[in-house]
Amino acid sequence: MDFIAPLDALFLLAESREHPMHVSSLQLLEPPEGTGPEYVREFRERLLADRELRPTFRKRPATWLGAPQLAWRLDDDVELDYHVGRRAIASPGHLDDLLEYTSALHSQLLDRHRPLWEMRFIEGLADGRFALFTKMHHALIDGVSAQRVLRRTLSTDPTDQTVMRPWNLPRKTRVASHKPGVGGLIKGAGSSLAGIAKAADVGLRKQQLTLPYAAPRTMFNVPIGGARRCAVRSWPMDRIKQVKKATGTTVNDVVLAMSAGALRAYLLERQALPDKPMIAFVPMSVRDPDDTDTQGVKIAALLCNLGTDVADPLERLEVIADSTRRNKQVYQSLSPTQTMALSALMLSPLVPMFLPGFAAVGAPPFNIVISNVPGAKEPLYWNGARLDASYPLSIPLDGQAINITLTSTGDNLDFGLVGCRRTVPDLHRLLDHLEDSLASLEAAAN
Amino acid sequence: MDFIAPLDALFLLAESREHPMHVSSLQLLEPPEGTGPEYVREFRERLLADRELRPTFRKRPATWLGAPQLAWRLDDDVELDYHVGRRAIASPGHLDDLLEYTSALHSQLLDRHRPLWEMRFIEGLADGRFALFTKMHHALIDGVSAQRVLRRTLSTDPTDQTVMRPWNLPRKTRVASHKPGVGGLIKGAGSSLAGIAKAADVGLRKQQLTLPYAAPRTMFNVPIGGARRCAVRSWPMDRIKQVKKATGTTVNDVVLAMSAGALRAYLLERQALPDKPMIAFVPMSVRDPDDTDTQGVKIAALLCNLGTDVADPLERLEVIADSTRRNKQVYQSLSPTQTMALSALMLSPLVPMFLPGFAAVGAPPFNIVISNVPGAKEPLYWNGARLDASYPLSIPLDGQAINITLTSTGDNLDFGLVGCRRTVPDLHRLLDHLEDSLASLEAAAN
């Protein structure tokens, strides 16, 4: 038995029916030309033929009288047929039907008596594609690493016949068990109190950073239930890049501005827009371009002013770009330890969110998590099937009833929205608002 | 707010990820001739057009900080689209594919932030039929009443165009909220201590009844996990009736003998057959044929000696028939109050099973619950679709890793088996053993 790292254990201890703590991914794949309806079934059977599993995919929490102990047990006899299932969606097999089912899958707790992951091949899409839904517990792996594992099964060669299994990838340094997320950051910070003090001094004294607890309370910052609704859509990266070029900002700034405009429209529609600007929690890489040390993780958490109080789309983009720019300047002037420490300071407000009931009384440290996960630019294939989209689906928390996570696939940006089904009505409306928001940025920038 | 009856509350308090406390039903229906693939979709839409719901279908537990309070809240705004979903099964759409999906559905906890029931129309069966999976929390309704609600939506007339909705049936005395199960019995007994004493005296002194805690420990009497496996099959009622006639026993005796033979074969195959005979817990109506009082509930719980230590099928049937006959003689000599009190005595061993960890230490009071739920003899239709089968799926408990529940549909007996997916391997083998067991009874009886 292995002891579970304290922050990973938090994801197990804080989990409840209302707060599943897994990250998911919904991938859309196009079967190779000339294959029939049996393609998915046969592919899954080929995958299951090799039953060797890496330790990450064999880990389950040791339990005692139903409560988790703080140790992992390695399962020697994993029922792979259970973990890698085959399902279908109802007719007519449109994306809406897939999302209705995806929402149900993302709402369900993983079985703790088994390794904490599941994959579902989903048939029945009217356009002939199939979907792959993957769910992994956050105690096992963070969202960025989960996406990386899935990408490592893919090949740039459509004729590549090697069947790569996510649960048995060839060894490589720091893959599945590597966690650059909250855990590492807070642990790193904890190891250097002097670092925290220094970073706080740099960050706070200079007044350049957006600080937590300045966020207004919104309809998203409430306690949540256990059922989820998922909404996804892809946008051509070219459209975002053109706005970026015309305005001298970054892809991430434009994405945040798209999101900010959509949130503003959504809240206006419900007469629920706060006077003060909303604050987004944005995990972000701050690696120095000259930094060739591939080992060091430099992910920082920015708190970004979304400018939702500003009506003009270009002005709003400027508020956002200014906010991220100043954040980055501070981060880039810091040593690696200081960066980690400052991030920990920013992240620390997350911890109370794991406590049930906290959201009902505390002020929200920020309004929403918007996360841009690294993706792939080139077309990718799995056993000849082309990856069309890959939507990351993350974790709403008490006080954070909605989450926006995105990644790139080929020429597209894939947005995955997850909302508490009870407290966030009409989540799909946000997709239309995202499109409108991008269109108004394009109109204003050109 | 309504306070929850103490025994109903027990089903909420005892529920955990390892112990979902809902009963389900899997119905197979044949669409009317001449209808196309849109039949199910359109039927569901017609059903959802009326959004009025009876209180049972609007009840959810009031919660505070995630823990249930002992009160019901009536939901005024039920998201019917969520409760009545549309799903499909993977290709090739055989019964096995449906059962794989049914197992997943029956394993999932109901969302406590909503009324505690769900229905899923399931498409994709290769033979053109569709399935209806219904799940209701036991705190809301017991298995017998749930089956009755579903049956009341059906008509004997295939051309009947009245769309009956389970959630809004016309008023009738004692329907959804009526509970003849464990709850009523124990409450009844509690109200009459003298009745218990009298019944215990009659039952125990005469040594005619099989008493709890005489059961051997088997592989089924262990703590369980949260994942389930479901297995179902139908047998022609005529085959059972012929054995009954040839042997002078009852349908229920033959069903118990079928089950006993199957359990014996299953355990022999695994070299796990206990020397002592297994004891089944059998809920059973003991209404006197002359009793015309339709209000009184006379369900008693028999503990039946299954004779699993006997190799000869006819001898085994005799052990069973003798055991149920003596049980009934005692019950029939009792007053209604005494019947209820004696049943409560038999049922009392169930209560500790709700306590986690109990199964690990206590001796099993019995080995398995085998329940024959009243069904229908005539062909039934829902909106013109013929009901082919109706499989009840019940609740395994700690120490009771497998459950057999059956009911009749037209000319068939429909068996629904539910097992803990971790501790009961190859559940479908039991179906083959049930067939073999019936065949050997037929061979021996004729």
Side-chain angles (χ1 to χ4, degrees):
Chain A
M1 281 204 291
D2 254 358
F3 282 96
I4 302 181
L7 251 127
D8 297 345
L10 188 60
F11 284 101
L12 286 174
L13 292 170
E15 188 171 65
S16 69
R17 298 166 75 125
E18 283 75 26
H19 310 99
M21 290 290 171
H22 52 251
V23 289
S24 299
S25 161
L26 180 69
Q27 295 175 301
L28 295 180
L29 294 118
E30 173 101 33
E33 265 186 58
T35 55
E38 69 298 335
Y39 172 80
V40 174
R41 196 157 74 241
E42 288 174 2
F43 178 36
R44 173 176 171 273
E45 269 161 32
R46 267 183 78 195
L47 279 175
L48 295 199
D50 177 0
R51 301 199 159 245
E52 206 168 310
L53 291 108
R54 294 267 169 233
T56 301
F57 292 83
R58 289 169 51 210
K59 276 180 178 176
R60 63 179 172 91
T63 52
W64 189 75
L65 296 190
Q69 288 182 293
L70 301 183
W72 289 120
R73 191 184 289 275
L74 282 188
D75 222 323
D76 287 327
D77 185 22
V78 178
E79 192 195 350
L80 214 47
D81 279 311
Y82 173 92
H83 289 273
V84 187
R86 212 158 45 79
R87 298 281 188 272
I89 54 167
S91 60
H94 293 163
L95 195 57
D96 281 352
D97 302 302
L98 177 63
L99 284 173
E100 186 56 36
Y101 184 46
T102 299
S103 301
L105 287 173
H106 193 55
S107 304
Q108 292 153 17
L109 293 166
L110 286 159
D111 182 359
R112 290 208 177 173
H113 293 267
R114 303 167 180 276
L116 295 171
W117 63 281
E118 281 179 15
M119 299 183 85
R120 298 284 175 261
F121 283 90
I122 305 174
E123 305 170 356
L125 272 166
D127 59 17
R129 295 186 294 181
F130 66 96
L132 183 67
F133 176 87
T134 307
K135 174 153 88 175
M136 296 187 76
H137 203 283
H138 203 300
L140 214 61
I141 196 166
D142 65 281
V144 173
S145 305
Q147 286 283 328
R148 197 183 309 138
V149 165
L150 289 177
R151 215 167 49 248
R152 285 196 56 212
T153 61
L154 304 169
S155 163
T156 51
D157 176 5
T159 64
D160 192 342
Q161 291 290 308
T162 334
V163 176
M164 297 282 264
R165 297 165 179 85
W167 55 87
N168 193 20
L169 289 170
R171 258 176 233 290
K172 194 178 151 182
T173 46
R174 315 178 289 118
V175 178
S177 65
H178 168 61
K179 298 189 36 114
V182 180
L185 291 171
I186 293 189
K187 273 177 279 176
S191 68
S192 164
L193 279 174
I196 290 189
K198 181 77 183 297
D201 184 57
V202 174
L204 308 192
R205 197 166 45 83
K206 294 190 176 170
Q207 296 290 326
Q208 280 186 300
L209 292 178
T210 310
L211 292 175
Y213 296 106
R217 184 172 277 283
T218 74
M219 61 181 287
F220 302 130
N221 307 114
V222 294
I224 61 170
R228 302 281 170 267
R229 199 188 300 273
C230 302
V232 307
R233 198 175 291 177
S234 301
W235 278 271
M237 182 64 107
D238 272 351
R239 290 181 61 188
I240 283 106
K241 282 196 174 151
Q242 273 172 19
V243 175
K244 166 198 136 159
K245 263 184 226 155
T247 55
T249 55
T250 69
V251 163
N252 212 46
D253 291 336
V254 179
V255 163
L256 288 169
M258 252 178 95
S259 306
L263 290 167
R264 180 182 153 87
Y266 182 91
L267 290 172
L268 270 179
E269 219 168 45
R270 281 158 189 80
Q271 284 147 351
L273 184 69
D275 294 334
K276 288 205 291 178
M278 288 172 73
I279 307 294
F281 177 96
V282 185
M284 167 174 271
S285 167
V286 289
R287 188 187 301 280
D288 188 309
D290 300 333
D291 182 359
T292 55
D293 170 17
T294 55
Q295 287 292 326
V297 184
K298 287 201 186 163
I299 288 180
L302 309 188
L303 284 177
C304 175
N305 180 342
L306 288 180
T308 47
D309 54 333
V310 180
D312 182 83
L314 275 195
E315 266 179 57
R316 198 182 314 122
L317 175 57
E318 261 167 52
V319 169
I320 290 165
D322 186 53
S323 179
T324 57
R325 206 178 295 124
R326 283 193 291 146
N327 264 291
K328 276 196 201 163
Q329 278 168 6
V330 173
Y331 277 111
Q332 275 163 359
S333 70
L334 299 177
S335 74
T337 312
Q338 285 171 328
T339 307
M340 301 251 283
L342 190 54
S343 302
L345 248 190
M346 293 291 189
L347 284 162
S348 59
L350 257 185
V351 175
M353 290 202 190
F354 289 107
L355 305 176
F358 176 83
V361 288
F366 46 83
N367 298 106
I368 184 172
V369 177
I370 303 178
S371 182
N372 190 348
V373 175
K377 279 175 194 163
E378 63 282 19
L380 292 171
Y381 302 85
W382 195 22
N383 190 37
R386 199 190 69 230
L387 180 70
D388 267 8
S390 181
Y391 301 104
L393 302 169
S394 194
I395 308 176
L397 296 168
D398 252 353
Q400 299 292 334
I402 189 170
N403 175 292
I404 300 180
T405 302
L406 53 138
T407 192
S408 53
T409 302
D411 298 329
N412 283 334
L413 260 182
D414 301 333
F415 280 65
L417 279 54
V418 183
C420 161
R421 194 169 179 117
R422 193 166 49 102
T423 54
V424 185
D426 298 330
L427 185 66
H428 64 276
R429 279 293 291 159
L430 258 177
L431 296 176
D432 297 333
H433 289 313
L434 279 169
E435 168 57 31
D436 293 346
S437 177
L438 177 56
S440 66
L441 281 165
E442 290 173 317
N446 296 320
Chain B
M1 281 203 294
D2 254 359
F3 282 96
I4 303 182
L7 251 128
D8 297 344
L10 188 61
F11 285 102
L12 286 173
L13 292 170
E15 188 172 65
S16 69
R17 299 165 75 124
E18 284 75 27
H19 310 99
M21 290 289 172
H22 52 251
V23 288
S24 299
S25 160
L26 180 70
Q27 295 175 301
L28 295 179
L29 294 119
E30 173 101 33
E33 264 186 59
T35 54
E38 69 297 336
Y39 171 79
V40 174
R41 197 157 73 240
E42 289 175 1
F43 178 35
R44 173 177 171 272
E45 270 160 31
R46 268 185 78 195
L47 279 175
L48 295 199
D50 177 359
R51 300 196 162 248
E52 206 169 309
L53 293 107
R54 295 265 168 234
T56 302
F57 293 83
R58 291 168 50 209
K59 276 180 178 176
R60 63 180 173 90
T63 52
W64 188 75
L65 297 187
Q69 288 181 293
L70 301 183
W72 289 120
R73 193 183 289 273
L74 282 189
D75 222 324
D76 287 326
D77 185 22
V78 177
E79 192 194 348
L80 215 47
D81 279 313
Y82 173 91
H83 289 273
V84 187
R86 215 158 44 80
R87 299 282 189 273
I89 54 167
S91 61
H94 293 162
L95 196 57
D96 281 352
D97 302 301
L98 177 62
L99 284 173
E100 186 57 37
Y101 184 46
T102 299
S103 301
L105 287 174
H106 192 55
S107 304
Q108 292 153 16
L109 292 167
L110 286 159
D111 183 358
R112 290 208 178 174
H113 293 267
R114 301 166 182 276
L116 296 171
W117 63 281
E118 280 179 15
M119 300 184 85
R120 299 286 176 257
F121 283 90
I122 305 174
E123 304 171 356
L125 273 166
D127 58 17
R129 293 186 294 180
F130 66 97
L132 182 67
F133 176 87
T134 307
K135 174 154 87 176
M136 297 187 77
H137 203 284
H138 204 300
L140 214 60
I141 197 165
D142 66 280
V144 173
S145 305
Q147 286 283 329
R148 197 182 310 139
V149 166
L150 290 177
R151 214 169 48 248
R152 284 196 57 213
T153 61
L154 304 169
S155 164
T156 51
D157 176 6
T159 64
D160 191 342
Q161 292 290 309
T162 335
V163 176
M164 296 283 264
R165 297 163 176 87
W167 55 87
N168 192 19
L169 289 170
R171 257 176 233 290
K172 195 179 148 181
T173 45
R174 315 178 291 118
V175 178
S177 64
H178 169 61
K179 301 189 35 119
V182 180
L185 291 170
I186 293 189
K187 273 178 281 179
S191 68
S192 165
L193 280 172
I196 292 190
K198 179 77 186 294
D201 184 58
V202 173
L204 309 190
R205 195 167 47 83
K206 294 192 176 170
Q207 295 289 323
Q208 279 186 302
L209 293 177
T210 311
L211 292 176
Y213 296 108
R217 184 172 276 283
T218 73
M219 60 181 288
F220 303 129
N221 307 113
V222 295
I224 60 170
R228 303 281 169 267
R229 199 188 299 273
C230 302
V232 307
R233 196 174 293 177
S234 300
W235 278 270
M237 182 64 109
D238 271 351
R239 289 182 61 188
I240 283 106
K241 282 197 175 153
Q242 272 173 18
V243 174
K244 166 199 136 155
K245 262 184 226 157
T247 56
T249 56
T250 69
V251 164
N252 212 47
D253 290 337
V254 179
V255 163
L256 288 169
M258 254 179 94
S259 305
L263 290 167
R264 180 183 154 87
Y266 181 92
L267 290 172
L268 270 178
E269 219 169 45
R270 283 156 187 82
Q271 283 148 349
L273 184 70
D275 293 335
K276 288 206 293 178
M278 287 172 73
I279 307 294
F281 178 96
V282 185
M284 169 174 270
S285 166
V286 287
R287 189 186 299 278
D288 189 307
D290 300 332
D291 182 359
T292 54
D293 169 18
T294 55
Q295 287 293 326
V297 185
K298 287 200 185 165
I299 289 180
L302 310 186
L303 285 175
C304 175
N305 180 343
L306 287 180
T308 47
D309 55 332
V310 180
D312 182 81
L314 275 194
E315 267 180 57
R316 197 181 316 120
L317 175 57
E318 261 167 54
V319 169
I320 289 166
D322 187 53
S323 180
T324 57
R325 205 176 298 125
R326 283 193 292 145
N327 265 291
K328 277 197 200 163
Q329 278 168 5
V330 172
Y331 276 111
Q332 276 163 358
S333 71
L334 298 177
S335 73
T337 313
Q338 285 172 328
T339 307
M340 300 250 283
L342 189 55
S343 302
L345 248 189
M346 293 292 188
L347 284 161
S348 59
L350 259 185
V351 176
M353 290 200 189
F354 290 106
L355 305 176
F358 176 84
V361 289
F366 46 84
N367 298 107
I368 184 170
V369 176
I370 303 179
S371 182
N372 190 347
V373 175
K377 278 175 194 164
E378 64 280 20
L380 292 171
Y381 301 85
W382 196 20
N383 191 36
R386 200 190 67 229
L387 180 71
D388 266 8
S390 180
Y391 301 104
L393 303 169
S394 193
I395 308 176
L397 295 168
D398 253 356
Q400 300 293 333
I402 188 170
N403 175 292
I404 300 180
T405 301
L406 53 137
T407 192
S408 53
T409 302
D411 299 329
N412 282 334
L413 261 182
D414 300 333
F415 280 66
L417 279 55
V418 182
C420 162
R421 197 171 176 115
R422 191 166 50 101
T423 54
V424 184
D426 299 330
L427 186 65
H428 64 275
R429 278 295 289 159
L430 257 178
L431 296 176
D432 297 332
H433 288 314
L434 279 169
E435 167 58 31
D436 294 347
S437 178
L438 177 57
S440 66
L441 281 166
E442 289 172 319
N446 295 319

